[in-house]
Amino acid sequence: MFTGEGEPLAVREDVGRHNAVDKLVGWASLNQRLPLRDHVLMVSGRASYEIMQKALAAGIAVVCAVSAPSSLAVEVAREFGMTLVGFLREERCNIYAGRERIKV
């Protein structure tokens, strides 16, 4: 989890990235930080439909992944006005939804 300015805020890991997202959202809830409107969620694998659902429930508008998003993840991002970035590496990425939030 990063702030909107790109500062690291919290890191959680688990065997499955879905569980790691649950841990981040749980941490935010326990620390009265929800909703996470001005934050960025970064996942180490694919952005799935389930991860997008969890981000939406937590109020996270920007989700980034190092791999490709699923087609359902792209649909969720577009339907709910979220930003979805995939293949994020170094200074390159693909923006699948919500380009207006990304400064280049």
Side-chain angles (χ1 to χ4, degrees), residues 1-3 7-12 24 27 40:
M1 179 78 57
F2 294 86
T3 66
E7 295 296 319
L9 180 64
V11 176
R12 298 294 181 271
L24 276 172
W27 167 83
V40 177

PDB file of all heavy atoms in Angstrom, residues 1-3 7-12 24 27 40:
ATOM      1  N   MET A   1       0.852  -1.157   0.000  1.00  0.00           N
ATOM      2  CA  MET A   1       0.000   0.000   0.000  1.00  0.00           C
ATOM      3  C   MET A   1       0.903   1.227   0.000  1.00  0.00           C
ATOM      4  O   MET A   1       1.861   1.299   0.766  1.00  0.00           O
ATOM      5  CB  MET A   1      -0.883  -0.017   1.240  1.00  0.00           C
ATOM      6  CG  MET A   1      -1.809   1.157   1.355  1.00  0.00           C
ATOM      7  SD  MET A   1      -3.262   1.029   0.308  1.00  0.00           S
ATOM      8  CE  MET A   1      -3.931  -0.499   0.861  1.00  0.00           C
ATOM      9  N   PHE A   2       0.570   2.179  -0.852  1.00  0.00           N
ATOM     10  CA  PHE A   2       1.315   3.424  -0.960  1.00  0.00           C
ATOM     11  C   PHE A   2       0.364   4.600  -0.793  1.00  0.00           C
ATOM     12  O   PHE A   2      -0.829   4.491  -1.084  1.00  0.00           O
ATOM     13  CB  PHE A   2       1.977   3.536  -2.340  1.00  0.00           C
ATOM     14  CG  PHE A   2       3.045   2.523  -2.573  1.00  0.00           C
ATOM     15  CD1 PHE A   2       2.739   1.263  -3.051  1.00  0.00           C
ATOM     16  CD2 PHE A   2       4.372   2.828  -2.315  1.00  0.00           C
ATOM     17  CE1 PHE A   2       3.727   0.312  -3.272  1.00  0.00           C
ATOM     18  CE2 PHE A   2       5.368   1.894  -2.532  1.00  0.00           C
ATOM     19  CZ  PHE A   2       5.054   0.631  -3.015  1.00  0.00           C
ATOM     20  N   THR A   3       0.903   5.715  -0.362  1.00  0.00           N
ATOM     21  CA  THR A   3       0.117   6.944  -0.359  1.00  0.00           C
ATOM     22  C   THR A   3      -0.027   7.403  -1.808  1.00  0.00           C
ATOM     23  O   THR A   3       0.665   6.906  -2.698  1.00  0.00           O
ATOM     24  CB  THR A   3       0.817   8.055   0.449  1.00  0.00           C
ATOM     25  OG1 THR A   3       2.034   8.412  -0.226  1.00  0.00           O
ATOM     26  CG2 THR A   3       1.098   7.624   1.879  1.00  0.00           C
ATOM     27  N   GLU A   7       4.616   7.206  -1.349  1.00  0.00           N
ATOM     28  CA  GLU A   7       5.348   6.788  -0.154  1.00  0.00           C
ATOM     29  C   GLU A   7       4.805   5.447   0.339  1.00  0.00           C
ATOM     30  O   GLU A   7       3.593   5.283   0.468  1.00  0.00           O
ATOM     31  CB  GLU A   7       5.202   7.832   0.952  1.00  0.00           C
ATOM     32  CG  GLU A   7       5.843   9.167   0.630  1.00  0.00           C
ATOM     33  CD  GLU A   7       7.344   9.064   0.467  1.00  0.00           C
ATOM     34  OE1 GLU A   7       7.998   8.341   1.257  1.00  0.00           O
ATOM     35  OE2 GLU A   7       7.872   9.689  -0.474  1.00  0.00           O
ATOM     36  N   PRO A   8       5.688   4.493   0.637  1.00  0.00           N
ATOM     37  CA  PRO A   8       5.224   3.211   1.171  1.00  0.00           C
ATOM     38  C   PRO A   8       4.500   3.405   2.501  1.00  0.00           C
ATOM     39  O   PRO A   8       4.953   4.161   3.349  1.00  0.00           O
ATOM     40  CB  PRO A   8       6.511   2.410   1.375  1.00  0.00           C
ATOM     41  CG  PRO A   8       7.558   3.132   0.602  1.00  0.00           C
ATOM     42  CD  PRO A   8       7.128   4.549   0.499  1.00  0.00           C
ATOM     43  N   LEU A   9       3.372   2.744   2.664  1.00  0.00           N
ATOM     44  CA  LEU A   9       2.579   2.880   3.881  1.00  0.00           C
ATOM     45  C   LEU A   9       2.526   1.567   4.666  1.00  0.00           C
ATOM     46  O   LEU A   9       2.732   1.542   5.868  1.00  0.00           O
ATOM     47  CB  LEU A   9       1.161   3.339   3.535  1.00  0.00           C
ATOM     48  CG  LEU A   9       0.207   3.537   4.691  1.00  0.00           C
ATOM     49  CD1 LEU A   9       0.701   4.664   5.592  1.00  0.00           C
ATOM     50  CD2 LEU A   9      -1.179   3.865   4.173  1.00  0.00           C
ATOM     51  N   ALA A  10       2.247   0.466   3.974  1.00  0.00           N
ATOM     52  CA  ALA A  10       2.145  -0.829   4.640  1.00  0.00           C
ATOM     53  C   ALA A  10       2.423  -1.936   3.632  1.00  0.00           C
ATOM     54  O   ALA A  10       2.092  -1.797   2.455  1.00  0.00           O
ATOM     55  CB  ALA A  10       0.752  -1.003   5.237  1.00  0.00           C
ATOM     56  N   VAL A  11       3.017  -2.999   4.121  1.00  0.00           N
ATOM     57  CA  VAL A  11       3.305  -4.166   3.289  1.00  0.00           C
ATOM     58  C   VAL A  11       2.793  -5.395   4.020  1.00  0.00           C
ATOM     59  O   VAL A  11       3.043  -5.556   5.219  1.00  0.00           O
ATOM     60  CB  VAL A  11       4.821  -4.316   3.034  1.00  0.00           C
ATOM     61  CG1 VAL A  11       5.121  -5.589   2.255  1.00  0.00           C
ATOM     62  CG2 VAL A  11       5.379  -3.107   2.314  1.00  0.00           C
ATOM     63  N   ARG A  12       2.079  -6.235   3.322  1.00  0.00           N
ATOM     64  CA  ARG A  12       1.629  -7.500   3.873  1.00  0.00           C
ATOM     65  C   ARG A  12       1.884  -8.569   2.816  1.00  0.00           C
ATOM     66  O   ARG A  12       1.770  -8.310   1.619  1.00  0.00           O
ATOM     67  CB  ARG A  12       0.141  -7.468   4.228  1.00  0.00           C
ATOM     68  CG  ARG A  12      -0.223  -6.457   5.288  1.00  0.00           C
ATOM     69  CD  ARG A  12       0.398  -6.808   6.635  1.00  0.00           C
ATOM     70  NE  ARG A  12       0.039  -5.878   7.676  1.00  0.00           N
ATOM     71  CZ  ARG A  12       0.703  -4.760   7.984  1.00  0.00           C
ATOM     72  NH1 ARG A  12       1.772  -4.419   7.302  1.00  0.00           N
ATOM     73  NH2 ARG A  12       0.305  -3.986   8.964  1.00  0.00           N
ATOM     74  N   LEU A  24      -3.956  -6.259   4.389  1.00  0.00           N
ATOM     75  CA  LEU A  24      -3.810  -4.802   4.281  1.00  0.00           C
ATOM     76  C   LEU A  24      -5.097  -4.081   4.646  1.00  0.00           C
ATOM     77  O   LEU A  24      -5.081  -3.095   5.391  1.00  0.00           O
ATOM     78  CB  LEU A  24      -3.407  -4.409   2.850  1.00  0.00           C
ATOM     79  CG  LEU A  24      -1.937  -4.468   2.526  1.00  0.00           C
ATOM     80  CD1 LEU A  24      -1.717  -4.257   1.032  1.00  0.00           C
ATOM     81  CD2 LEU A  24      -1.154  -3.445   3.323  1.00  0.00           C
ATOM     82  N   TRP A  27      -5.641  -4.350   8.359  1.00  0.00           N
ATOM     83  CA  TRP A  27      -4.765  -3.413   9.054  1.00  0.00           C
ATOM     84  C   TRP A  27      -5.346  -2.002   9.003  1.00  0.00           C
ATOM     85  O   TRP A  27      -5.391  -1.292  10.016  1.00  0.00           O
ATOM     86  CB  TRP A  27      -3.368  -3.443   8.420  1.00  0.00           C
ATOM     87  CG  TRP A  27      -2.504  -2.313   8.849  1.00  0.00           C
ATOM     88  CD1 TRP A  27      -1.763  -2.240   9.994  1.00  0.00           C
ATOM     89  CD2 TRP A  27      -2.315  -1.083   8.154  1.00  0.00           C
ATOM     90  NE1 TRP A  27      -1.122  -1.030  10.046  1.00  0.00           N
ATOM     91  CE2 TRP A  27      -1.444  -0.300   8.930  1.00  0.00           C
ATOM     92  CE3 TRP A  27      -2.796  -0.568   6.950  1.00  0.00           C
ATOM     93  CZ2 TRP A  27      -1.044   0.967   8.535  1.00  0.00           C
ATOM     94  CZ3 TRP A  27      -2.394   0.694   6.569  1.00  0.00           C
ATOM     95  CH2 TRP A  27      -1.538   1.448   7.350  1.00  0.00           C
ATOM     96  N   VAL A  40      -2.736   3.811  -3.079  1.00  0.00           N
ATOM     97  CA  VAL A  40      -2.488   2.940  -4.229  1.00  0.00           C
ATOM     98  C   VAL A  40      -2.187   1.539  -3.706  1.00  0.00           C
ATOM     99  O   VAL A  40      -1.356   1.370  -2.819  1.00  0.00           O
ATOM    100  CB  VAL A  40      -1.287   3.450  -5.056  1.00  0.00           C
ATOM    101  CG1 VAL A  40      -0.973   2.509  -6.200  1.00  0.00           C
ATOM    102  CG2 VAL A  40      -1.550   4.865  -5.567  1.00  0.00           C
TER     103      VAL A  40
END
